[in-house]
Amino acid sequence: MAQNKALDGKVVIVTGAGRGIGREIALLAAREGAKVVVNDPGGAADGSGTSAAPAEEVVEEIRKAGGTAVANFETVAEAVPASKIVKTAIDSFGKLDGVVNNAGILRDAIFHRMSVDAFEAVIKVHLMGSFYVSHAAARLFREQESGSFVHFTSTSGLVGNFGQANYAAAKLGIVGLSKSIALDMNRFNVRSNCVSPFAWSRLIGTIPTETEAQKERVARIQQMGPEKIAPLSVFLLGDAAKDVTGQIFAVRMNEIFLMGQSRPLRSVHRADGWNCETIGEHAIPALKGSFYPLDRSADVFSWDAI
C-alpha cells in the first residue's frame, strides 16, 4: 500500500472493475487507501453472459496486497440492480465517498445496419448505467455534503468515429449528465468530472484489423496500457481535487488533456430576420469557414502517444 494515500479512509465504487481500465482503477484506489466495491457482472465485450470470476479475482488481488475490497456482480443497466451496488458499499463499509462509472459494452455497426437492440443496449449500459448508479449515490452525497463522481466518456462522442453511433451518443450524453450533476450538486460539495481514455482494453480489442492502416492503429493503441488511465481517475476521487468539477479530461499514455466544451464560435445577424434564401446567401457562407470537418478521433489526435 502507498505511504501517502490519496484516498485514505474513503470508500469508492468502480463499475466494470473486473478487467481493463476499471481493474487498474480499483487496484490503484486500494493502494491509495480506499475500500473498494469491485463491480462487474463478468459479461463479454458485447454484454452477453455473466461470470463472478473477474470481480472476485480483482478483490483477491487487492486483499493479497493488504487492501480492502468486496465484489459486486449487479448490472448497471437497470435501476434496481444498480442501486444495489451502492447498497453494497453501505452494507460493507458504512459509507460511500466516490463513484467511478466505467462499465461499458460495445456493439459497433455502420449506422444504417445498426439494430435497435444494439443501440439501446449500449445506451442502457453506458448512459443509463451512469445515471442509475450516480442517482443512487447522489442522495448519500447530498446528506453528507461530500462526494465525487468520475464518469467515462470517449472521443468517439467528443470528436467522432465510424460505426459507433450508439457508443458515441451514450458517451456524449454522459458529458451532459456529468456537467448537470456538477452544476446541481456543487453547493453540496459534490464533484463530477469526465475522463476520456486512450488505452488498450478488451473493448478496443473489437476494432477491426482487416487493412494495414487498421492493423497499425491497433498496434499503436496496444502500447497504451489501461494502467495509464488510473492515476487521474483516482486523483479526481480524492480531497486534493476538491476544486475540480465539471471538467472533461483525456488521458493518452503520459499525456493529460483538458478537453473543450461547446461554446459559440461565430455569429451572423440580419436586422430584418432570416429566410431560407438569405440563410443560403449570407449566413452559411459567413459561417462556413468555421465549420468542423468530419473528423474522427484519430484525425484530431494524429501524433504518436508519448
Side-chain angles (χ1 to χ4, degrees):
M1 298 294 107
Q3 294 299 315
N4 298 316
K5 297 178 180 179
L7 302 183
D8 193 25
K10 294 192 180 297
V11 175
V12 302
I13 290 168
V14 184
T15 68
R19 304 179 180 94
I21 293 171
R23 173 183 179 275
E24 296 298 333
I25 293 171
L27 293 174
L28 181 57
R31 288 198 298 272
E32 291 290 350
K35 297 175 182 178
V36 185
V37 177
V38 178
N39 161 260
D40 203 309
D46 65 358
S48 61
T50 59
S51 171
E56 289 177 341
E57 288 168 4
V58 174
V59 168
E60 181 63 19
E61 188 169 348
I62 289 171
R63 289 175 177 171
K64 282 183 177 179
T68 304
V70 295
N72 176 280
F73 314 108
E74 301 287 354
T75 178
V76 301
E78 300 293 339
V80 172
S83 70
K84 292 179 180 178
I85 304 171
V86 174
K87 187 175 185 298
T88 295
I90 301 303
D91 290 347
S92 301
F93 304 124
K95 66 171 186 169
L96 179 62
D97 300 291
V99 171
V100 179
N101 284 312
N102 166 77
I105 64 171
L106 281 181
R107 294 192 184 178
D108 292 357
I110 201 74
F111 184 67
H112 64 281
R113 294 177 181 169
M114 182 173 287
S115 68
V116 171
D117 178 67
F119 191 90
E120 291 181 344
V122 170
I123 294 291
K124 286 285 284 183
V125 173
H126 288 274
L127 179 55
M128 298 306 297
S130 295
F131 166 75
Y132 292 143
V133 179
S134 298
H135 194 246
R139 298 180 183 90
L140 300 174
F141 290 174
R142 162 65 181 88
E143 291 172 5
Q144 67 195 26
E145 296 195 351
S146 67
S148 177
F149 294 103
V150 178
H151 315 275
F152 271 74
T153 184
S154 170
T155 53
S156 291
L158 298 171
V159 178
N161 209 354
F162 293 138
Q164 292 192 312
N166 47 7
Y167 183 69
K171 289 305 193 182
L172 199 54
I174 287 170
V175 170
L177 174 66
S178 177
K179 189 61 176 285
S180 294
I181 293 171
L183 288 166
D184 286 351
M185 303 199 71
N186 185 53
R187 58 181 170 159
F188 307 123
N189 300 310
V190 176
R191 294 170 283 115
S192 181
N193 293 284
C194 284
V195 174
S196 177
F198 290 78
W200 179 257
S201 69
R202 70 192 183 113
L203 295 191
I204 300 298
T206 64
I207 294 174
T209 54
E210 298 170 1
T211 68
E212 286 303 315
Q214 289 173 336
K215 290 177 182 178
E216 289 176 7
R217 180 190 175 207
V218 167
R220 288 195 299 270
I221 298 173
Q222 284 177 325
Q223 299 175 17
M224 297 181 272
E227 72 281 356
K228 295 290 188 179
I229 311 302
L232 176 62
S233 306
V234 170
F235 171 82
L236 291 171
L237 294 170
D239 293 338
K242 63 183 178 62
D243 297 323
V244 184
T245 190
Q247 305 306 309
I248 308 165
F249 300 95
V251 181
R252 197 178 75 143
M253 283 282 281
N254 300 316
E255 303 164 296
I256 296 176
F257 304 91
L258 178 64
M259 300 297 287
Q261 301 185 31
S262 293
R263 300 292 185 270
L265 293 177
R266 303 185 70 175
S267 67
V268 290
H269 167 263
R270 286 178 78 94
D272 55 350
W274 298 94
N275 57 44
C276 291
E277 183 177 2
T278 57
I279 289 171
E281 292 176 349
H282 176 191
I284 298 303
L287 298 173
K288 198 169 186 178
S290 295
F291 279 12
Y292 285 99
L294 288 176
D295 287 329
R296 295 177 302 147
S297 177
D299 299 320
V300 173
F301 292 89
S302 57
W303 64 97
D304 288 341
I306 57 175

